[in-house]
């Protein structure tokens, strides 16, 4: 398998701007991690973007994760909107949604 390709802040910014409503500006990096039953839930860097022009959110969170058995990465973008009020809450929301989708 080839080395994992990292995504840039500009690619994550584009992922945020592909969501409805808003222009992303500036990125602050935040480490997100948490435990679930004593095991790491997820650990990595989440970029926090300020949003201009979005009617409901003033910022968004974006990060990437490797795709199993691939050298590609999947990008995630989540708006800061209750109950999502932190990078870790954004990551948790995506993990929960994917778990529910798998059944």
């Amino acid at each position: 398998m080839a080395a994992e390709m990292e995504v840039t802040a500009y690619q994550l910014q584009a992922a945020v701007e592909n969501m409805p409503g808003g222009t992303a500006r500036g990125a602050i990096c935040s480490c997100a991690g948490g435990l679930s039953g004593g095991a790491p839930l997820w650990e990595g860097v989440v970029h926090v973007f300020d949003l201009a022009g979005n009617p409901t959110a003033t910022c968004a969170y974006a990060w990437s994760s490797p795709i199993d058995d691939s050298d590609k990465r999947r990008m995630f973008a989540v708006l800061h909107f209750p109950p999502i009020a932190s990078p870790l809450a954004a990551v948790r929301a995506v993990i929960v949604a994917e778990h529910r989708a798998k059944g």
Side-chain angles (χ1 to χ4, degrees), residues 23-63:
T23 301
R25 299 179 194 265
I28 299 170
C29 296
S30 173
C31 293
L35 298 176
S36 176
L41 180 64
W42 185 84
E43 191 172 332
V45 175
V46 177
H47 293 249
V48 182
F49 293 92
D50 289 329
L51 283 180
N54 187 292
T56 58
T58 58
C59 72
Y61 308 104
W63 67 96

Side-chain angles (χ1 to χ4, degrees), residues 54-59 61 78-86 89-90 93:
N54 187 292
T56 58
T58 58
C59 72
Y61 308 104
V78 178
L79 293 175
H80 175 100
F81 187 79
I84 299 168
S86 71

Side-chain angles (χ1 to χ4, degrees), residues 5-28:
M5 300 295 295
E6 294 293 328
V7 299
T8 67
Y10 295 111
Q11 289 171 303
L12 293 171
Q13 180 178 355
V16 169
E17 291 180 342
N18 282 332
M19 295 187 308
T23 301
R25 299 179 194 265
I28 299 170

Side-chain angles (χ1 to χ4, degrees), residues 44-100:
V45 175
V46 177
H47 293 249
V48 182
F49 293 92
D50 289 329
L51 283 180
N54 187 292
T56 58
T58 58
C59 72
Y61 308 104
W63 67 96
S64 70
S65 290
I67 298 172
D68 291 338
D69 300 321
S70 173
D71 63 348
K72 297 181 181 179
R73 297 184 69 83
R74 182 173 172 198
M75 290 187 283
F76 299 91
V78 178
L79 293 175
H80 175 100
F81 187 79
I84 299 168
S86 71
L88 182 55
V91 171
R92 283 183 178 161
V94 167
I95 290 170
V96 167
E98 287 186 336
H99 182 70
R100 287 181 180 161

